[in-house]
Amino acid sequence: MPVQAAPQGAAKQSVRVAAVDLGATSGRVMSGRISPSGIELNELHRFPNGAVRAGRSFFWDILGIHREMLVGIREVARTGPLDGIGIDSWAVDYGLLDRDGQLLGNPFSHRDPRTDGIAAQVLDKVGAARLYGTTGIQQLAFNTIYQLVAARGTAALESADALLLLPDLLGYWLTGEMGAERTNASTTQLYDVNDGTWAIDLCRELGIPWSILPPLRDAGSVVGPLLPDVAREVGVGAGVPVVAVGSHDTASAVVGVPASTDRFAYISSGTWSLVGLELEKPVVTEAARQADFTNEGGVDGTIRFLKNVMGLWVLSESMRAWDGRRLGLTLQGLLAATAEFEPLRTVIDINDPRLLAPGTASDPMPERVVALAKEAGQPEPASPVAIARCILDSLVVAYRRNVRTAAELAGVDLEVVHIVGGGSQNALLCQLTADACGLPVIAGPTEAAALGNVLVQGRTLGADLPDLASMRALIRRSYDVRQYQPRPGLDWDAAEARVFGSQAG
């Protein structure tokens, strides 16, 4: 399904855009230029991000994010003409607006505990098989559906006139136009993956006010021009459009995978790791449900058949705890020591829900890792190096299991695994993934989400990029990647069995 393209005519020789790429721990605004010779991507503004604790709850500082986004767009505009703007971010979180279009409080973070126990209530009412058959979504306690069920009866939800996922909320403040881009809408567990519509009957049964769900739009459509006041603030002329890119950052990151074959698996490795395949149709079989795989929308009508894995969040939270203890560790030095540490000594279930919440002074992340090792009857890691090795080995065991399971469920014979995002810079992680999967790993580019954001904008604004294959070919011409060949020697079957028991192998 092609995106909404620019009007017919000669392709533009050069398109320059601003890509707002928001992660759960940092945000960045990049300038991107597409020309026949390649892609030029430059980071012009970066800022920290993170959930803010207020009382017992975790929120996003969405106004601070908006402010920093405007600073970044202004920097892009200051350094050259600007043809468009696109926004991608993490999934599932949202803001509620009243009938005047005003925000009803700070958006909750998906790491907020208000959804504890809610999934069981929902499954008891609608049934797991029906929920999966309709939405095709992995069971994660923080999915939008559970956040909204948890919010039933609150003043905010009862006063809400519209719900906007975070990239769409930010786009609304730029343009005044409301909507929900499909790749992100598909993550909510409120979207019918078979029909491509909101699952209104499901909302009704669960007491969710479905009328607040905005109109759906495709990646590549034009949201609207910048509001005059916004255009003046960021220093551009009237009429600069905001383009709906693959607004779930993983959807943009998958566009940014430089694959030359359709028989590839991808791992978008960052705070979260998204491990899966790009397919033409969803897989909503009972086996896929039992394996807890998700079917999320991708750019050009594709399906991202994947599993959410906890990701490098566990390591970054551990580093934060060690920094707080003033241990003087650097990530580079820690990883160098970790590479020399005994492999597969301790492996845990990296997706254990106890690793989800941010660490605290009384419950730091490293101690949670040690506790899980002890609970599993495995050697307890006693130093930062041992804990870091446990985290990376456990992450790779999860990668291996989910790459293999995805291929089996979809009936695909894989040729290669692509790792993109921040984890692609971790040579140990990439080599271990090649070893564990028994497949070559191609690592990079790091900024895959921003690249996918830029490419979808570019096509909409007139660049000669008719399909995903042409986008990926342009990435291969523009960026160097690193290749890792699988090495024998470690017993990955046994390591997986230590985590998953007899289901492994």
Side-chain angles (χ1 to χ4, degrees):
M1 181 171 62
V3 299
Q4 177 179 317
Q8 292 293 325
K12 286 188 177 181
Q13 289 300 301
S14 179
V15 177
R16 185 171 185 269
V17 299
V20 181
D21 178 33
L22 303 173
T25 57
S26 68
R28 58 217 136 258
V29 183
M30 321 280 282
S31 73
R33 184 185 298 278
I34 298 174
S35 68
S37 61
I39 310 169
E40 180 184 342
L41 191 66
N42 292 294
E43 181 183 298
L44 294 186
H45 184 57
R46 178 179 286 262
F47 55 93
N49 191 28
V52 179
R53 183 191 290 272
R56 296 181 178 179
S57 298
F58 288 100
F59 299 96
W60 295 112
D61 179 13
I62 193 65
L63 296 179
I65 294 171
H66 175 66
R67 179 189 62 242
E68 296 296 337
M69 177 182 72
L70 294 178
V71 169
I73 295 171
R74 191 180 304 119
E75 281 298 301
V76 177
R78 187 181 62 80
T79 55
L82 183 59
D83 296 313
I85 300 164
I87 306 167
D88 67 79
S89 85
W90 66 94
V92 306
D93 292 334
Y94 60 87
L96 296 173
L97 304 178
D98 66 16
R99 65 185 181 186
D100 295 323
Q102 299 300 311
L103 184 65
L104 290 163
N106 287 311
F108 280 93
S109 165
H110 56 273
R111 298 188 190 276
D112 185 79
R114 69 188 176 134
T115 55
D116 291 353
I118 297 296
Q121 298 176 28
V122 170
L123 295 178
D124 185 59
K125 185 165 183 64
V126 302
R130 182 188 164 209
L131 184 60
Y132 190 79
T134 300
T135 67
I137 294 297
Q138 179 183 355
Q139 283 295 105
L140 294 168
F142 50 71
N143 288 343
T144 314
I145 190 172
Y146 304 129
Q147 294 195 44
L148 287 172
V149 170
R152 288 183 309 192
T154 62
L157 189 58
E158 291 181 351
S159 302
D161 191 67
L163 175 152
L164 294 180
L165 296 164
L166 295 191
D168 299 317
L169 175 60
L170 294 166
Y172 165 67
W173 284 335
L174 294 181
T175 65
E177 299 292 335
M178 294 189 189
E181 189 278 316
R182 289 181 188 276
T183 69
N184 216 356
S186 71
T187 70
T188 62
Q189 220 167 2
L190 297 165
Y191 178 88
D192 190 321
V193 72
N194 305 292
D195 297 339
T197 60
W198 291 117
I200 291 175
D201 288 345
L202 191 62
C203 293
R204 285 196 181 107
E205 286 187 47
L206 294 172
I208 295 171
W210 59 267
S211 62
I212 68 176
L213 300 174
L216 292 159
R217 54 192 174 211
D218 293 329
S221 60
V222 174
V223 176
L226 289 177
L227 292 166
D229 287 348
V230 176
R232 284 192 293 272
E233 183 174 354
V234 299
V236 301
V240 172
V242 174
V243 176
V245 298
S247 65
H248 184 197
D249 53 9
T250 307
S252 281
V254 173
V255 173
V257 171
S260 58
T261 173
D262 59 1
R263 296 167 64 181
F264 70 94
Y266 57 81
I267 301 172
S268 179
S269 178
T271 302
W272 283 96
S273 289
L274 295 306
V275 183
L277 313 175
E278 183 176 76
L279 302 177
E280 294 181 358
K281 297 179 180 180
V283 181
V284 290
T285 61
E286 179 62 15
R289 183 183 75 81
Q290 292 288 348
D292 205 20
F293 266 72
T294 204
N295 293 268
E296 297 173 355
V299 171
D300 285 9
T302 56
I303 293 293
R304 293 175 287 133
F305 184 59
L306 60 86
K307 189 73 169 281
N308 284 56
V309 176
M310 195 71 72
L312 291 167
W313 159 260
V314 183
L315 183 59
S316 65
E317 280 294 285
S318 296
M319 285 296 298
R320 188 167 68 87
W322 294 325
D323 287 346
R325 297 176 193 170
R326 302 178 184 271
L327 297 184
L329 297 171
T330 66
L331 182 59
Q332 183 177 5
L334 180 66
L335 291 176
T338 299
E340 302 299 321
F341 193 83
E342 179 184 352
L344 301 181
R345 180 175 183 268
T346 304
V347 286
I348 61 172
D349 181 1
I350 202 68
N351 256 19
D352 190 289
R354 286 167 286 186
L355 301 177
L356 177 64
T360 64
S362 60
D363 184 26
M365 188 65 74
E367 292 185 10
R368 297 182 199 171
V369 172
V370 174
L372 288 174
K374 182 178 180 180
E375 182 179 295
Q378 298 208 35
E380 296 175 37
S383 67
V385 171
I387 291 170
R389 183 71 201 217
C390 169
I391 292 169
L392 292 182
D393 283 347
S394 301
L395 192 54
V396 169
V397 167
Y399 287 175
R400 175 185 194 264
R401 179 176 178 80
N402 289 303
V403 165
R404 289 154 59 104
T405 302
E408 290 168 3
L409 291 169
V412 175
D413 292 323
L414 295 175
E415 296 176 350
V416 64
V417 176
H418 284 268
I419 299 181
V420 296
S424 67
Q425 297 178 299
N426 188 322
L428 177 60
L429 181 71
C430 295
Q431 183 61 64
L432 290 174
T433 302
D435 299 344
C437 294
L439 290 167
V441 163
I442 296 177
T446 302
E447 297 291 356
L451 284 170
N453 181 321
V454 167
L455 287 164
V456 170
Q457 285 194 72
R459 177 167 62 176
T460 300
L461 299 171
D464 185 16
L465 296 167
D467 52 27
L468 291 172
S470 63
M471 294 182 185
R472 290 166 176 158
L474 188 62
I475 294 173
R476 292 196 300 274
R477 295 200 301 270
S478 305
Y479 286 86
D480 294 327
V481 294
R482 295 165 300 284
Q483 297 192 28
Y484 299 84
Q485 295 300 322
R487 306 169 305 185
L490 297 179
D491 191 343
W492 292 98
D493 282 337
E496 189 176 333
R498 285 155 60 195
V499 179
F500 299 104
S502 60
Q503 302 175 47

